[in-house]
Amino acid sequence: MQQLHYYDFGEGVTAFSTTRRGGYSTGQYGEFNINRYCGDDNEHIRQNRTLLCRMLGIEDDRLLMPHQTHDTRVALIDNGFLALSAAEQQAALEGIDAVMTEVPGLCIGVSTADCIPILLYDPEHRAVCAVHAGWRGTVGRIVQKAVTAMTAAYGSRPDMILAQIGPGISLDSFEVGQEVYDAFAAAGFNMSAISRRYSSRPQPSSSTLSNMELLEKWHIDLPACNRLQLLDCGLQPAAITLSGICTYKQHDTFFSARRLGINSGRIFTGIMI
């Protein structure tokens, strides 16, 4: 049986991240993966989806996940969307990195393996959103765009929204190149709050400053950056919860593309009213 990591949004909402435990996939996809876009066996994916739907008490067509492309597009899932054919739905979810709905009994979610999954819940209007925030999406402020989209679609008030930041790569583990650091800086982020230099190996005692720089790499705190964006949107500090799970460090339990390679499974972080 699949072991889910659950989040508490209160009565009437189911929210979770899948783990690697309790599925049918093998190798670097083992054991539980439902992502169709990472090279896993289609039959294993089907069996894993069936298992998850059984746990959630829904049919397979009520489990929706977009094909993410590290963009910042947000899709509204309503009864009109659900009336489309399976092929039309798949086309509509192409290039989407956040999905939102107010339809009960419909599980929406995003797929990650080091990127940051974020779940949003508006208890006033009974609406939910799932966001995929990799570093590009974080630079593009996708979580802020998701809050704006919920406000426009449902009348959500940011100060009433609850947020869960799920398993993803931590500051300690997310080493980046100078170009990534520069992208965040150019986008206007407070770099002292979201970045730090780490030595890549022990520093020689007689190093010059230029040599010291060669030994150091920037690290970015993606969970913290997304949390700050949510605060900037108007969410209350107490309404934002961080899982504290680093996928790179806990790759035995949660998929990590940096540890397992691109051809490996993905975590599904979902939410359902």
Side-chain angles (χ1 to χ4, degrees):
M1 179 66 72
Q2 159 62 202
Q3 297 178 22
L4 301 180
H5 182 83
Y6 286 102
Y7 308 111
D8 184 11
F9 280 101
E11 187 176 354
V13 179
T14 299
F16 62 92
S17 291
T18 59
T19 69
R20 296 186 63 184
R21 312 276 169 74
Y24 295 91
S25 297
T26 59
Q28 302 293 64
Y29 301 98
E31 299 169 348
F32 192 90
N33 169 66
I34 64 168
N35 186 297
R36 298 188 178 101
Y37 307 105
C38 59
D40 196 5
D41 179 82
N42 286 332
E43 179 58 20
H44 291 161
I45 293 169
R46 185 197 66 77
Q47 290 174 301
N48 288 333
R49 282 183 64 98
T50 298
L51 177 59
L52 180 57
C53 288
R54 188 179 303 129
M55 294 180 69
L56 297 173
I58 59 176
E59 297 299 321
D60 186 81
D61 63 357
R62 307 291 284 187
L63 177 62
L64 296 179
M65 177 179 63
H67 184 200
Q68 304 152 191
T69 56
H70 297 275
D71 206 335
T72 58
R73 295 172 58 199
V74 184
L76 171 66
I77 309 299
D78 55 13
N79 288 320
F81 175 92
L82 296 176
L84 299 174
S85 68
E88 290 170 329
Q89 289 185 13
Q90 184 173 350
L93 291 175
E94 182 69 29
I96 297 296
D97 283 78
V99 284
M100 60 183 185
T101 193
E102 58 180 350
V103 179
L106 182 69
C107 183
I108 59 171
V110 291
S111 185
T112 61
D114 291 332
C115 294
I116 311 302
I118 304 161
L119 300 177
L120 305 173
Y121 173 50
D122 172 4
E124 280 191 308
H125 302 91
R126 300 281 291 168
V128 295
C129 183
V131 181
H132 162 246
W135 77 260
R136 291 179 179 85
T138 301
V139 167
R141 292 182 166 84
I142 185 173
V143 76
Q144 291 184 318
K145 292 179 180 179
V147 172
T148 299
M150 291 183 72
T151 300
Y154 310 120
S156 299
R157 294 188 294 161
D159 63 340
M160 294 300 294
I161 291 176
L162 306 177
Q164 173 68 56
I165 298 175
I169 197 164
S170 66
L171 170 69
D172 290 348
S173 301
F174 190 43
E175 180 182 299
V176 301
Q178 185 67 43
E179 72 284 357
V180 175
Y181 177 92
D182 291 344
F184 278 87
F189 291 104
N190 178 358
M191 299 310 295
S192 64
I194 66 165
S195 66
R196 189 181 306 167
R197 276 186 181 269
Y198 281 63
S199 296
S200 57
R201 61 181 183 271
Q203 299 179 11
S205 57
S206 60
S207 293
T208 63
L209 179 60
S210 60
N211 286 336
M212 292 270 286
E213 289 174 346
L214 290 175
L215 292 171
E216 293 183 336
K217 294 289 186 179
W218 282 112
H219 286 232
I220 300 288
D221 193 334
L222 291 180
C225 190
N226 281 284
R227 180 180 180 275
L228 290 173
Q229 290 183 46
L230 289 169
L231 291 173
D232 287 344
C233 284
L235 272 72
Q236 298 299 303
I240 307 169
T241 303
L242 285 82
S243 72
I245 296 170
C246 175
T247 47
Y248 186 87
K249 294 176 181 176
Q250 297 178 239
H251 64 280
D252 289 340
T253 304
F254 296 92
F255 289 110
S256 168
R258 283 204 171 196
R259 290 296 291 264
L260 302 171
I262 295 298
N263 295 320
S264 59
R266 302 291 186 268
I267 304 160
F268 178 75
T269 297
I271 189 165
M272 179 174 69
I273 304 165

